[in-house]
Amino acid sequence: MTFTHPFMANSVSTIKQEMLDAIGARTVEELFEQIPADHRLARPIDLPPALRSEAELRRHLLGLLKKNQDCESNLSFLGGGCWQHHVPAICDEIAGRSEFLTPVWGTPSSDHGRNQAWFEFTSQLGELIEMEIVSLPVYSWGCAAGHAIRMASRLNGRREVLVPRIIDPERLSVIRNYCEPEAMPSHIKVVEIGYDAATGLLDLTDLTARLSSGTAAVYIEVPNYLGVIESQGAAIADLAHKVGAEFIVGIDPISLGLLAPPATYGADIVVGTTQPLGVHMNCGGGTGGFIASRDEERYAREYPALLVSIAETTVPGEHAFGLSLLHQSSYGMRENGKDWTGNSVYLWAIANAVYMSLMGPQGFRELGELIIQQAQYAARAIAAVPGAEVIFPSGFFKEFVVRFSGRSVGEVNAALRARGIFGGHDLSPILPELGQAALYAVTEIHTKGDIDRLAEALAEILHR
């Protein structure tokens, strides 16, 4: 007997037949004929029986959720691209207002208010990174980096990008996707640059050897994936510019309360994450990435993401806010656009704007100082534990690498989890030359007591 689900109207056989008749199809299977047979499952999916009541469904989902261990109920030192920063309550309050939360494109009056809020986001972030053009956020840092590399390739017509070997593997995977397979005519070759094993900085000798007239861009990150502050930015910019390549810098904007913005050492395009700016950690959702550059037409014409501008109106003293160069984006050109920026995270731009306005320049400085002090204290406390060694102990921001002897990272992390602590990201599969090493993140949410608890737990684990 066919089961009619109470929450799914198209499970009613008569309604399903009406829909098929309306589109001229005989069966549901006809709707999927364009999918190759070897891509379709030939057997029924082994699913549990349908849950017939809302109460059953709720109980089932709560049971699944109870299996999760989150960073609210555990002490977490995870980072690597998504960090546990403090999110002021006002960020959630304003981003959750219906005028921001529910509409996408509304009336001229509501669009004006939304555009003004977006303009505040781009203006504040532009001031922080010292760039004149800032796009609305795309899905993630990796997406922003991929778009920027494609922008550089379109600017100079070249088909190769140099990226650091020390890079988030997920971000690198996204970049490779944006650079497309080798069989594609628009393929951009991704070349990895080595690093100095003693300092964690980019290997300038290797960079120099790989630069050529075919290099579209050099991409680096400050701090890099291991938390090391890349201090050679000006030298890297000079090497890139000498061969006519664009210089792209990826950043964590929280660090700019202390570190110099990339524009001061020669960056042409700046990308980065917006997640630390008032956005909670989330699993599977977009965390936000931005693209920024100088206010030059050659750059402005290559942006695939939405840009917001302010302009005078016909009424003296009155200003309006609107989207700029919309026609060149995928929203305006659809399938003919240079890049597709769907699944963007424009609501996070509201939260980001609230966060930046709340912090101000002095707040960013104080936050940066607190983070770096806490991270340095944590590194010293862990380094004092026999069997634990901090690699690259100087010149890092909020993340650092810990190498263990006598225990694998997996063993250490399992023992930490049993104590209600999430340890660092296991680096051994992606950087095996570092040994049994893990990436630890310390932010403003960590107290001295939290760090001491971690150090004591590691001492117990490594000496049991």
Side-chain angles (χ1 to χ4, degrees):
M1 177 179 177
T2 303
F3 171 58
T4 300
H5 200 288
F7 306 137
M8 299 173 63
N10 64 357
S11 68
V12 179
S13 58
T14 54
I15 294 177
K16 186 182 297 185
Q17 189 59 52
E18 287 178 16
M19 295 171 68
L20 290 171
D21 293 342
I23 62 175
R26 291 174 298 173
T27 65
V28 173
E29 285 68 29
E30 286 186 16
L31 305 178
F32 304 98
E33 286 180 348
Q34 69 272 30
I35 301 175
D38 59 347
H39 284 51
R40 298 178 63 183
L41 195 64
R43 57 174 174 76
I45 301 176
D46 184 16
L47 294 175
L51 300 175
R52 294 173 177 264
S53 73
E54 186 176 342
E56 285 182 283
L57 176 61
R58 184 175 187 276
R59 187 184 305 123
H60 173 68
L61 291 177
L62 287 175
L64 293 177
L65 290 171
K66 285 179 181 178
K67 297 180 180 180
N68 289 336
Q69 293 292 317
D70 58 50
C71 295
E72 295 296 332
S73 55
N74 292 269
L75 177 58
S76 175
F77 293 92
L78 289 168
C82 186
W83 304 271
Q84 191 176 15
H85 285 283
H86 174 63
V87 176
I90 192 172
C91 295
D92 294 332
E93 181 68 25
I94 294 181
R97 289 181 62 90
S98 60
E99 58 264 42
F100 294 130
L101 182 62
T102 57
V104 179
W105 311 110
T107 65
S109 57
S110 66
D111 282 357
H112 177 83
R114 181 208 60 208
N115 289 345
Q116 181 175 2
W118 284 348
F119 181 80
E120 295 298 333
F121 160 78
T122 60
S123 298
Q124 291 178 100
L125 189 53
E127 183 176 349
L128 183 64
I129 63 178
E130 294 191 9
M131 283 290 189
E132 295 109 349
I133 299 181
V134 179
S135 72
L136 287 182
V138 292
Y139 197 65
S140 68
W141 184 347
C143 293
H147 283 307
I149 290 167
R150 290 175 61 87
M151 286 172 64
S153 178
R154 292 195 296 269
L155 283 165
N156 54 35
R158 300 176 180 183
R159 295 291 178 189
E160 182 178 274
V161 59
L162 307 186
V163 304
R165 162 132 169 73
I166 296 177
I167 188 172
D168 178 357
E170 180 181 357
R171 191 148 56 243
L172 179 59
S173 175
V174 175
I175 288 172
R176 290 188 184 279
N177 280 341
Y178 273 72
C179 289
E180 300 188 22
E182 291 186 26
M184 300 293 288
S186 54
H187 167 68
I188 301 171
K189 183 180 180 182
V190 179
V191 178
E192 295 183 19
I193 304 300
Y195 63 96
D196 186 324
T199 64
L201 300 175
L202 199 71
D203 185 339
L204 296 190
T205 301
D206 190 28
L207 172 64
T208 302
R210 295 179 184 275
L211 281 167
S212 71
S213 58
T215 304
V218 175
Y219 173 72
I220 68 167
E221 295 178 349
V222 185
N224 68 21
Y225 179 57
L226 302 185
V228 177
I229 299 170
E230 179 57 71
S231 57
Q232 307 172 117
I236 296 169
D238 185 56
L239 290 170
H241 291 153
K242 280 182 178 178
V243 299
E246 297 291 318
F247 182 39
I248 306 172
V249 179
I251 60 163
D252 173 357
I254 284 288
S255 69
L256 297 183
L258 294 180
L259 304 183
T264 63
Y265 50 85
D268 300 304
I269 305 174
V270 180
V271 300
T273 178
T274 63
Q275 183 267 323
L277 305 177
V279 177
H280 296 277
M281 300 175 75
N282 60 84
C283 178
T287 50
F290 69 88
I291 311 169
S293 69
R294 297 185 296 275
D295 187 9
E296 296 178 10
E297 186 173 353
R298 64 190 297 264
Y299 292 110
R301 292 291 181 185
E302 295 302 333
Y303 271 84
L306 295 183
L307 304 174
V308 184
S309 290
I310 184 173
E312 295 180 347
T313 72
T314 55
V315 179
E318 184 180 76
H319 292 82
F321 304 87
L323 300 177
S324 298
L325 300 175
L326 178 64
H327 64 281
Q328 72 182 27
S329 71
S330 55
Y331 290 92
M333 298 183 69
R334 310 309 294 173
E335 69 274 11
N336 295 319
K338 296 172 181 176
D339 274 327
W340 173 252
T341 57
N343 291 330
S344 298
V345 286
Y346 302 143
L347 183 62
W348 291 159
I350 306 298
N352 300 151
V354 174
Y355 183 89
M356 287 186 285
S357 63
L358 185 67
M359 295 294 290
Q362 185 61 29
F364 272 95
R365 173 174 288 279
E366 293 174 0
L367 178 60
E369 290 174 348
L370 176 60
I371 289 174
I372 204 166
Q373 288 167 4
Q374 296 289 76
Q376 288 288 342
Y377 175 78
R380 290 193 298 270
I382 294 173
V385 176
E389 172 194 3
V390 174
I391 311 175
F392 318 128
S394 60
F396 60 83
F397 180 55
K398 68 182 178 187
E399 293 177 284
F400 54 91
V401 180
V402 179
R403 179 161 53 204
F404 300 108
S405 58
R407 293 281 192 280
S408 70
V409 174
E411 291 172 329
V412 171
N413 282 349
L416 286 173
R417 281 199 304 275
R419 291 165 170 80
I421 302 173
F422 291 156
H425 278 296
D426 189 350
L427 297 174
S428 58
I430 58 172
L431 293 170
E433 65 271 21
L434 298 181
Q436 288 300 313
L439 181 66
Y440 278 74
V442 177
T443 71
E444 73 281 5
I445 63 131
H446 295 102
T447 65
K448 180 178 180 296
D450 293 335
I451 295 167
D452 291 342
R453 178 184 164 193
L454 170 65
E456 291 167 6
L458 288 174
E460 292 176 3
I461 294 165
L462 295 174
H463 294 100
R464 65 184 181 184

